[in-house]
Amino acid sequence: MLRAVRERDAYANLVLPALLRDLGLSGRDAALATELAYGACRSLGLLDAVIAEGAGRPIEEIDGPLLDVLRLGVYQLLRTRIGAHAAVDTSVALARSEFGAGKAGFVNAVLRRAGEKTPEQWVEALAPADPVGRLAFEYAHPAWIAQAFADALGARAGELREVLAADDARPLVHLVARPGDITAEELALVTGGEEGRWSPYAVYLDGGDPGKLEPVREGMAAVQDEGSQLVALALTRAELDGRDTGRWLDLCAGPGGKAALLGAIAAIDGFRVDAVEPAAHRAELVRKAVRDLPVDIHVADGRASGLTPGYDRILVDAPCTGLGALRRRPEARWRRTPADVRELVVLQRELLSAAWDLLRPGGVVVYSTCSPHLPETVSIVADAVRRLGAEQLDTRALLPGVTDVGDGPGAQLWPHRHGTDAMFLAALRKPR
């Protein structure tokens, strides 16, 4: 799996489940493989710094396949309870079988150097001196991402350690019970899960393969972070100026989770949802997610969808850096760069403007990102209010019972406060 991520930029959460199935791994073996694979992806920056120190050379000078073995070994030494002797021996044996005795000796030497210090001592030895950089190193985040979190926390930047720790921990699996098909209470009973705290449709699972669960196989439930559920629910709860005619739109629908929840809620009142997705393969994912629901799929660019204006409710869940979901995408934190933000901000602004043109007077747009980064969140919304004359609603009122989402009018969820991805959302109403 590490090789696929390194060589092909593969997504760990897509590659690993297939590998586990192909190899017939289950139970404790599958759990250990998952911990090692995802953990090594998450911890890359920390691991590479220790490896470079132990090897006495930059990691760029180490062959990629050998680096994968070293990362697995150092991860076991520094971030698991696996005994040092076992971690070294299994890594050396793997290197010997793959590359021969010479490189096995190199692996042995590097891992023994890595094992000479505790994780805390390595942080002391290698972390930057500045507070944000030090925390970023300790919790295996690029420094620019840690700084983005600190900026978004604002006056509560003292919570940065908690945010990074929550982001670095293994998250619970969140399920969504499809309204009209099954309740969260029923889903929890069937799956052995626990009902969610914030969404009336959420259920938490401690682990396992949710794809094997009967309600998921039958389409009565799906995997969806509770924060994403709250975004869709906020759109349905926003107060319109005038009657809801039942024309709803999801302008950035792929891969379909929010469109499915919106469609299930719309079906209760006889409403319909249009779902726009520019990529054909992602549109197919949407089609599978919304089967048997009143959702019409359009393969089009949301900035020029060709749809007829007059929508009551529009969701713009904009493409973003995904910094709020790093705990679920272990390799993503090391792929993103600050340069990505510039292009995304332009796209986010254009999508929100396109939604505004499709919205009827008195209708509501909910803008959301799976990122707390200020240029992608409050800056985009402030620009829309200024340029478009939008009326910004107090989004906190659309999240009843959800505490500690900021000072408004937008709302920011956090993994350390809410157990969700770090979703941002803001509601804008079009004046008549």
Side-chain angles (χ1 to χ4, degrees):
M1 195 215 77
L2 292 181
R3 190 170 297 178
V5 169
R6 179 179 49 78
E7 292 182 347
R8 307 197 309 269
D9 279 343
Y11 293 102
N13 63 334
L14 299 181
V15 171
L16 185 63
L19 281 173
L20 295 177
R21 284 194 297 271
D22 291 347
L23 297 169
L25 293 181
S26 60
R28 294 178 64 185
D29 286 338
L32 177 59
T34 300
E35 169 65 21
L36 296 183
Y38 286 175
C41 283
R42 272 197 307 270
S43 308
L44 210 60
L46 171 67
L47 302 180
D48 285 357
V50 173
I51 290 167
E53 186 73 12
R57 68 183 76 166
I59 61 160
E60 291 77 16
E61 295 181 10
I62 301 173
D63 290 344
L66 195 61
L67 187 59
D68 294 333
V69 176
L70 288 168
R71 285 167 172 168
L72 279 172
V74 175
Y75 181 78
Q76 291 175 74
L77 286 170
L78 300 185
R79 291 206 152 196
T80 74
R81 292 179 294 179
I82 293 170
H85 182 75
V88 173
D89 278 5
T90 53
S91 301
V92 170
L94 178 58
R96 184 178 291 111
S97 68
E98 290 280 326
F99 316 114
K103 290 185 177 179
F106 173 68
V107 168
N108 182 61
V110 173
L111 293 187
R112 292 198 181 281
R113 284 285 309 277
E116 289 173 358
K117 290 183 173 69
T118 66
E120 295 76 19
Q121 289 171 332
W122 278 119
V123 171
E124 282 295 328
L126 301 178
D130 67 286
V132 171
R134 181 185 175 87
L135 284 172
F137 183 85
E138 183 178 351
Y139 290 100
H141 282 68
W144 77 272
I145 293 179
Q147 186 61 59
F149 289 170
D151 293 343
L153 287 165
R156 295 175 64 172
E159 296 178 14
L160 180 59
R161 179 182 291 276
E162 295 173 66
V163 176
L164 296 175
D167 212 34
D168 209 31
R170 181 176 65 87
L172 296 175
V173 175
H174 290 186
L175 299 180
V176 59
R178 179 177 283 186
D181 284 347
I182 192 171
T183 67
E185 181 182 15
E186 292 166 339
L187 182 59
L189 287 171
V190 170
T191 61
E194 177 188 351
E195 290 183 62
R197 286 191 292 167
W198 314 114
S199 164
Y201 307 115
V203 169
Y204 307 151
L205 297 180
D206 192 40
D209 182 356
K212 294 181 178 179
L213 299 172
E214 186 176 350
V216 174
R217 292 201 313 270
E218 293 185 359
M220 295 189 295
V223 177
Q224 185 177 43
D225 183 79
E226 191 173 17
S228 294
Q229 298 175 40
L230 291 174
V231 167
L233 289 170
L235 180 68
T236 69
R237 293 165 174 165
E239 184 178 348
L240 307 179
D241 185 354
R243 186 174 66 88
D244 193 336
T245 66
R247 285 194 73 203
W248 298 359
L249 171 63
D250 183 349
L251 196 61
C252 311
K258 296 181 184 70
L261 182 52
L262 288 173
I265 295 172
I268 295 170
D269 292 316
F271 296 165
R272 293 200 71 82
V273 178
D274 283 307
V276 174
E277 169 53 48
H281 70 282
R282 283 172 63 85
E284 188 58 35
L285 294 176
V286 179
R287 190 168 284 109
K288 291 177 180 176
V290 303
R291 64 184 184 275
D292 303 324
L293 292 172
V295 178
D296 301 307
I297 297 156
H298 307 266
V299 182
D301 189 322
R303 294 169 291 182
S305 64
L307 296 173
T308 304
Y311 287 93
D312 300 289
R313 304 178 189 273
I314 301 178
L315 175 62
V316 181
D317 183 42
C320 68
T321 55
L323 301 189
L326 297 178
R327 63 199 189 122
R328 298 195 186 277
R329 301 178 183 124
E331 75 290 336
R333 68 186 68 177
W334 307 108
R335 287 181 175 166
R336 284 298 189 190
T337 70
D340 297 331
V341 179
R342 289 191 289 274
E343 292 183 13
L344 286 165
V345 163
V346 173
L347 176 60
Q348 290 157 359
R349 188 180 297 121
E350 291 173 348
L351 285 166
L352 189 49
S353 295
W356 196 252
D357 292 339
L358 293 169
L359 189 68
R360 70 161 175 83
V364 170
V365 167
V366 165
Y367 172 82
S368 69
T369 60
C370 191
S371 169
H373 198 16
L374 295 178
E376 303 183 84
T377 58
V378 295
S379 295
I380 294 290
V381 175
D383 173 74
V385 170
R386 178 181 53 80
R387 274 190 311 111
L388 306 174
E391 174 194 355
Q392 190 168 2
L393 306 180
D394 188 345
T395 313
R396 296 171 298 177
L398 309 180
L399 303 172
V402 185
T403 56
D404 214 6
V405 294
D407 298 327
Q412 179 65 60
L413 301 169
W414 289 101
H416 70 296
R417 294 183 196 166
H418 306 101
T420 67
D421 292 344
M423 300 292 301
F424 169 85
L425 58 157
L428 305 173
R429 188 161 56 202
K430 193 170 191 175
R432 283 187 174 276

